[in-house]
Amino acid sequence: MQSGFQDSDILSYLALPQDYNPLPSVDPIEFLKRHLHELPPNIIQRFSLVTTPKQRTTITEIRNRRLKFTESRPRSLSFAVARNTWPTLWQGRERRGQEEGKEEQEWAKMNFLGGSEQQVGNLAKLLGDMEEEREAERVRFIQRTQANDDFVPEEESDSEDENDSEYPEIQEPESPQEAQALFERIIRERFIYGLLEGADYDSVDWDEWLDVDDDRNAEERWFDDD
């Protein structure tokens, strides 16, 4: 049992017997399906120790909390932030780090007021170029690491056509706007299904303020939009 996660504390709070079935530590998902709304924040958050975001996706209320969160257009899932946080999911072809380089140039212009305009401008450009290259290298490193993690040796096959049929070609977006819209949709979907590595799921999954009046209608609306 994970440190800090005690069945006895949870069962006692709910006035349930110690031999209750299912036990929180044995089948936490089923337990949450039954008692999600009965537990206070300081107890419900402990379930992050024994469940994963992907596992919690099977709980309708949690799935709908994530949906409502994405509909609020949070900055953490915005295009600019998500593109840098999950660069392997972004298929755009523009140079990486340009936005960060521009921010660095603006910072230099605002904070180095003692020199001449030309000196400040040169320094700002230098710092901007350096920041752009740092960000581009960070993205390349993440992409290389992801590629190594995802690599699976190919098995020999008698027919190349059979292998090709297993991996249908994905049609690429025709315009930058379509590419951005597709990326934003991928981010939303992966977040809702608990597949967005590094996302702050705890602050969403356990937030009862994100509950909607009719969870079923909210879920059906999202799937209809698909």
Side-chain angles (χ1 to χ4, degrees), residues 12-223:
S12 296
Y13 178 86
L14 295 173
L16 295 172
Q18 294 300 309
D19 60 350
Y20 180 80
N21 186 29
L23 285 173
S25 61
V26 175
D27 193 349
I29 296 300
E30 182 58 34
F31 189 89
L32 284 172
K33 287 180 179 179
R34 300 184 187 185
H35 304 288
L36 177 67
H37 297 289
E38 302 173 38
L39 295 169
N42 65 310
I43 292 181
I44 197 71
Q45 292 172 4
R46 301 177 191 176
F47 281 83
S48 293
L49 299 172
V50 294
T51 63
T52 66
K54 183 178 180 181
Q55 290 172 334
R56 298 197 293 270
T57 301
T58 61
I59 303 173
T60 301
E61 292 89 343
I62 287 181
R63 205 162 52 237
N64 286 331
R65 288 176 182 179
R66 295 175 184 176
L67 169 60
K68 189 171 183 180
F69 178 73
T70 63
E71 289 178 338
S72 70
R73 298 189 175 279
R75 184 177 182 277
S76 60
L77 300 182
S78 67
F79 173 70
V81 174
R83 182 186 59 180
N84 290 330
T85 307
W86 299 284
T88 58
L89 299 178
W90 169 243
Q91 301 300 319
R93 294 183 174 84
E94 81 281 4
R95 290 174 57 192
R96 304 309 301 268
Q98 290 180 314
E99 187 170 333
E100 291 76 10
K102 183 178 179 181
E103 291 177 356
E104 188 73 10
Q105 287 190 43
E106 294 298 325
W107 177 86
K109 290 178 180 178
M110 292 292 294
N111 288 276
F112 289 95
L113 302 179
S116 66
E117 183 175 348
Q118 182 177 358
Q119 289 175 327
V120 172
N122 291 339
L123 176 60
K125 184 178 185 306
L126 175 62
L127 293 177
D129 291 344
M130 292 173 60
E131 181 62 25
E132 180 178 337
E133 180 55 33
R134 279 196 297 267
E135 176 62 18
E137 179 56 33
R138 184 187 73 86
V139 171
R140 289 193 293 268
F141 174 77
I142 294 175
Q143 291 173 333
R144 289 195 300 269
T145 302
Q146 185 68 41
N148 292 334
D149 292 342
D150 293 342
F151 174 74
V152 177
E154 295 183 2
E155 297 182 359
E156 294 184 2
S157 173
D158 295 335
S159 172
E160 293 183 359
D161 293 337
E162 290 180 2
N163 287 338
D164 292 341
S165 64
E166 295 178 3
Y167 304 96
E169 182 179 355
I170 299 176
Q171 185 175 0
E172 293 187 359
E174 296 181 358
S175 69
Q177 291 76 16
E178 290 174 339
Q180 178 173 336
L182 176 61
F183 174 74
E184 291 172 338
R185 174 173 175 170
I186 290 173
I187 291 296
R188 289 195 302 270
E189 290 180 350
R190 291 183 69 89
F191 180 82
I192 291 172
Y193 283 110
L195 301 174
L196 203 55
E197 185 177 355
D200 183 9
Y201 281 99
D202 288 356
S203 65
V204 176
D205 290 0
W206 313 128
D207 186 357
E208 60 184 8
W209 291 101
L210 290 171
D211 287 337
V212 294
D213 294 334
D214 190 340
D215 286 334
R216 183 174 297 276
N217 286 343
E219 183 179 29
E220 290 176 353
R221 183 177 72 252
W222 184 74
F223 282 110

